[in-house]
Amino acid sequence: MTFQLISEIRNQLRCLGARPAHEQRILRLWSQAKPQNSGSRPLESFMPAGLRQALPELSDKLANLLRLQSAHPAEDGSVRWLLALQDGQTVETVGLPRDGVCVSSQVGCAVGCVFCMTGKEGLIRQVGSAEMVAQVAFARLHRPVKKVVFMGMGEPAHNLDNVLEAIDLLGTVGNIAHKSLVFSTVGDARVFERLPLGLVKPALALSLHSTRADLRVQLLPRAPKMSPEELIEAAEIYAQQTGYPIQYQWTLLQGVNDTEEEIEGIVRLLKGKYALMNMIPYNAVDDLPFKRPSWERAAEIARTLHRRGILTKLRNSAGQDVEGGCGQLRARQIQAAAGESQLANAEKPIHFVKAKPATVL
């Protein structure tokens, strides 16, 4: 049996005779990338024999939920990993500076943001809750992890049950503070309904990218039809419920959303709100027409917003020097595989078969 969901792991553990305490212990050690025999007490003193005997095989299955395809360390201290899932599909996971990790919630994405490589291929499949936690466990084998952001490939709102199941585990036995679990979304009414109901209430990051409804539709063509005003109103309610500021995400595109009009729109919508604006200059993608504004222009926008009362941070997308923008590693891997397949086909020798004489009827 292979696992994609945390619920599948729990069911298997219960079939093996695990009680709730055993179940939580096994999930805790797995999510924290610790050996299952950790601790001073021998397993024989508290774990049922059947479960104990099955533990090595179970541990192997959990460790093999994904495997490393390639690693791309960057000068900023981040590292981008291309990870293969059990069915051969790949996702990108990023080890961030300052003990963070960015995980993917989907293979591909259905939103189709016009400036994003991930959106070009559409949605391939959902990533299971166990596969998301496995990304965190993998990162913990290589570096400390104190913060998990669901900002990788995919739209978490389109895989809501699985993302919330992963968040619940990480925020309980996974030893991640609730405010250090960040749910990133383009905005969806279901998010604002479901997030306040959970035992673990993550911080919320809202990909805004424009204060103009018409431009936002062009940039995010398949995002839910909520206006910027509606999104910010719903997000502000969640901020007040949790006590965490909303992290608004803004990918700066030269000549598109770096205008004075947009600066005025941001001030109009966010002034007085419990909010943090993250300005991220665009990470260039081959074959897409968008450009990254100069760092000087980006810094000027951030300073202007800050002076006008909007807490603004200017951030760089991790892995700029390895051209590792979201979806680019997977795209290059797919292109390389396609190229190798074409080359292999081209190099196959041609076999000539002597035809049989035609039969005259």
Side-chain angles (χ1 to χ4, degrees):
M1 177 182 181
T2 59
F3 303 117
Q4 283 191 354
L5 307 179
I6 294 167
S7 58
E8 293 171 343
I9 301 173
R10 291 186 185 276
N11 289 338
Q12 179 70 9
L13 291 173
R14 290 165 190 170
C15 289
L16 292 168
R19 295 191 291 273
H22 304 134
E23 185 180 314
Q24 293 297 82
R25 181 186 190 277
I26 290 169
L27 292 172
R28 172 172 58 81
L29 293 173
W30 165 57
S31 65
Q32 296 186 32
K34 296 178 180 179
Q36 288 295 331
N37 60 359
S38 297
S40 57
R41 294 176 61 193
L43 295 180
E44 307 86 62
S45 67
F46 64 89
M47 186 173 286
L51 178 59
R52 191 170 67 248
Q53 291 165 6
L55 206 52
E57 182 182 356
L58 179 69
S59 297
D60 285 343
K61 287 182 178 179
L62 294 176
N64 291 319
L65 281 175
L66 43 79
R67 66 183 185 279
L68 178 64
Q69 196 92 354
S70 61
H72 306 263
E75 292 180 358
D76 61 6
S78 66
V79 57
R80 288 182 177 266
W81 296 295
L82 185 66
L83 303 175
L85 305 175
Q86 292 174 302
D87 61 358
Q89 294 291 350
T90 54
V91 293
E92 296 177 23
T93 304
V94 185
L96 301 169
R98 297 179 294 279
D99 299 342
V101 64
C102 176
V103 302
S104 292
S105 58
Q106 295 181 307
V107 180
C109 183
V111 176
C113 300
V114 296
F115 50 83
C116 176
M117 180 65 82
T118 302
K120 289 185 71 175
E121 63 178 344
L123 177 63
I124 307 301
R125 80 161 172 89
Q126 306 288 13
V127 173
S129 55
E131 294 170 321
M132 291 180 225
V133 175
Q135 293 175 61
V136 178
F138 173 87
R140 279 175 153 162
L141 291 172
H142 297 84
R143 57 205 293 154
V145 173
K146 297 178 181 177
K147 181 175 184 177
V148 179
V149 297
F150 291 79
M151 293 183 184
M153 296 171 57
E155 165 53 53
H158 293 173
N159 192 13
L160 194 53
D161 289 341
N162 283 328
V163 172
L164 292 181
E165 188 173 47
I167 284 174
D168 182 76
L169 183 71
L170 293 169
T172 51
V173 299
N175 198 30
I176 304 291
H178 295 193
K179 66 179 180 181
S180 295
L181 290 160
V182 184
F183 185 107
S184 177
T185 180
V186 298
D188 189 302
R190 294 169 296 180
V191 170
F192 302 113
E193 293 168 0
R194 294 279 301 277
L195 258 57
L197 303 179
L199 174 65
V200 178
K201 297 177 179 60
L204 180 63
L206 185 58
S207 295
L208 195 57
H209 305 307
S210 179
T211 62
R212 290 172 41 198
D214 60 334
L215 178 57
R216 193 169 187 272
V217 168
Q218 293 176 37
L219 295 176
L220 287 66
R222 291 189 290 279
K225 302 304 184 222
M226 295 178 72
S227 69
E229 289 81 3
E230 291 170 330
L231 288 170
I232 290 169
E233 181 181 355
E236 181 65 13
I237 293 171
Y238 185 71
Q240 298 302 327
Q241 289 172 331
T242 60
Y244 315 146
I246 302 300
Q247 302 172 36
Y248 290 95
Q249 309 294 104
W250 193 285
T251 299
L252 277 170
L253 305 168
Q254 182 180 307
V256 178
N257 63 357
D258 61 348
T259 63
E260 296 301 321
E261 179 186 5
E262 290 285 24
I263 292 173
E264 293 299 324
I266 292 170
V267 173
R268 173 175 55 85
L269 292 179
L270 295 188
K271 189 69 176 288
K273 298 293 193 298
Y274 195 22
L276 166 65
M277 172 59 77
N278 286 319
M279 287 279 175
I280 308 168
Y282 177 60
N283 196 347
V285 174
D286 292 341
D287 302 325
L288 293 183
F290 302 99
K291 294 182 179 179
R292 178 185 178 91
S294 70
W295 187 258
E296 292 73 20
R297 174 56 181 161
E300 178 189 357
I301 293 172
R303 284 194 298 269
T304 300
L305 290 171
H306 207 74
R307 283 197 300 267
R308 298 188 63 181
I310 308 300
L311 180 59
T312 304
K313 292 187 178 181
L314 183 58
R315 301 186 182 275
N316 232 335
S317 178
Q320 287 282 324
D321 54 309
V322 295
E323 295 183 333
C326 193
Q328 286 180 271
L329 296 182
R330 174 179 162 81
R332 287 204 294 270
Q333 180 249 343
I334 292 173
Q335 290 166 359
E340 289 174 2
S341 176
Q342 291 175 357
L343 182 61
N345 289 333
E347 291 176 346
K348 286 180 180 178
I350 300 174
H351 297 281
F352 294 93
V353 179
K354 187 176 180 179
K356 294 180 180 180
T359 302
V360 180
L361 301 176

